[in-house]
Amino acid sequence: MFSILQNSITNTIWMFVLIFIVFYFFMIRPQIRKQKIEKKFQENLKKGIYIVTNSGLHGKVIEITNHFCILETITGKIKFEKNSISKELTQLRYENLLKINKNNNKKKEIEFKGNIEKK
């Protein structure tokens, strides 16, 4: 009787270990990788690039401090935290501005045709 109970507990423990491993490789690890890429993107922001915030605000970075950046939008200048800038949304909207010319490894200068007008 005791060996049957012990065998059942061992199988249950192995099942939970297997479930944790599956969760780690299919959910936790990709999320950590995504967060690292987002943080690297936010740390490498430069003046003059067009970005999209997590809330959907489009703008051009005109000033950068340690934790904040000032965006120029159609309505004026707005101060945002760097954490609120999304790499995925920025690539989705402005991917033609972020493409790298493979011939000379420099950013292509492509005329901007978006909602934000250059002054």
Side-chain angles (χ1 to χ4, degrees):
M1 180 72 181
F2 184 71
S3 65
I4 294 173
L5 181 63
Q6 187 176 7
N7 193 12
S8 175
I9 291 173
T10 306
N11 288 339
T12 305
I13 291 173
W14 278 110
M15 183 182 67
F16 278 115
V17 169
L18 181 65
I19 289 173
F20 177 76
I21 291 171
V22 169
F23 267 93
Y24 178 77
F25 282 107
F26 288 106
M27 297 182 81
I28 298 170
R29 191 167 174 234
Q31 184 66 28
I32 292 171
R33 186 179 307 136
K34 180 181 173 187
Q35 288 173 349
K36 286 180 183 179
I37 292 170
E38 284 274 338
K39 186 172 183 174
K40 185 177 179 182
F41 175 76
Q42 292 165 356
E43 289 173 355
N44 294 329
L45 285 176
K46 296 178 183 174
K47 290 182 182 180
I49 65 169
Y50 292 90
I51 55 97
V52 182
T53 63
N54 288 331
S55 60
L57 186 72
H58 296 243
K60 179 181 177 182
V61 177
I62 58 172
E63 188 177 330
I64 300 172
T65 62
N66 288 339
H67 300 288
F68 298 98
C69 64
I70 297 177
L71 303 180
E72 181 179 19
T73 63
I74 294 173
T75 58
K77 297 177 183 176
I78 302 174
K79 185 177 183 179
F80 269 94
E81 287 193 28
K82 284 184 179 180
N83 298 357
S84 67
I85 297 172
S86 172
K87 180 180 187 287
E88 281 81 20
L89 292 174
T90 301
Q91 282 184 335
L92 181 67
R93 181 64 177 98
Y94 301 111
E95 79 177 317
N96 61 341
L97 294 174
L98 298 174
K99 286 183 182 176
I100 297 176
N101 188 351
K102 294 181 182 178
N103 296 335
N104 58 9
N105 291 332
K106 292 183 180 177
K107 287 189 178 180
K108 285 184 177 179
E109 292 296 326
I110 300 172
E111 184 177 329
F112 178 70
K113 297 178 182 177
N115 295 332
I116 302 170
E117 298 176 8
K118 290 185 178 180
K119 292 185 179 183

